[in-house]
Amino acid sequence: QAQLEETGGGSVQAGGSLRLSCTAPGYTINWTCMGWFRQVAGNQRVGIAVIANDGTTSYADSVKGRFAISKDNAKNIFYLQMNSLQPEDTAMYYCAANPFTCLDSIETLASRNFGYWGRGTQVTVSS
């Protein structure tokens, strides 16, 4: 059962932008760590951006300089701004959160410490 909800996916041409949002309906947890992952069918889910509660961020090399993760603590929402999208960014995008720790996630972008997940939102970039 998904505890988080992603919105903002869709189809866009190469060079375009999208902003994904992640909310936690029914939850009032103060997340220590928030992240975005993506998965292409047949491949593993890959971490692309993580933000800690103190604002520390980490990005995969594939999105560095193009994507930005941010959060709104008051609304308990976090975002992924995606600019200069390319066809290789096409994937299902998932948000995830962890109320306990973030150091490992910041250092590795691994999914292992994230216990709360959304169902995913599709992003398709055409050339």
Side-chain angles (χ1 to χ4, degrees):
Q1 181 179 356
Q3 302 99 341
L4 307 181
E5 184 174 301
E6 305 94 343
T7 57
S11 297
V12 65
Q13 288 192 326
S17 299
L18 286 172
R19 188 176 81 157
L20 306 182
S21 300
C22 182
T23 60
Y27 288 83
T28 57
I29 299 173
N30 292 320
W31 306 117
T32 297
C33 196
M34 295 141 277
W36 288 95
F37 296 76
R38 67 185 182 188
Q39 186 173 23
V40 176
N43 291 351
Q44 287 189 330
R45 194 171 298 185
V46 176
I48 56 171
V50 171
I51 186 167
N53 200 38
D54 67 358
T56 303
T57 58
S58 179
Y59 296 93
D61 288 343
S62 59
V63 305
K64 201 172 292 183
R66 300 187 298 125
F67 291 11
I69 188 171
S70 61
K71 59 187 177 68
D72 184 329
N73 290 335
K75 296 180 180 178
N76 206 26
I77 300 175
F78 59 101
Y79 306 95
L80 184 69
Q81 178 67 43
M82 305 186 293
N83 300 325
S84 301
L85 283 161
Q86 299 300 317
E88 53 265 35
D89 295 314
T90 296
M92 185 71 77
Y93 283 71
Y94 299 87
C95 65
N98 174 3
F100 303 118
T101 180
C102 205
L103 181 57
D104 179 70
S105 303
I106 286 288
E107 292 180 348
T108 68
L109 295 173
S111 62
R112 53 178 169 257
N113 293 318
F114 289 96
Y116 295 77
W117 289 87
R119 294 186 186 277
T121 185
Q122 178 68 36
V123 171
T124 302
V125 185
S126 58
S127 58

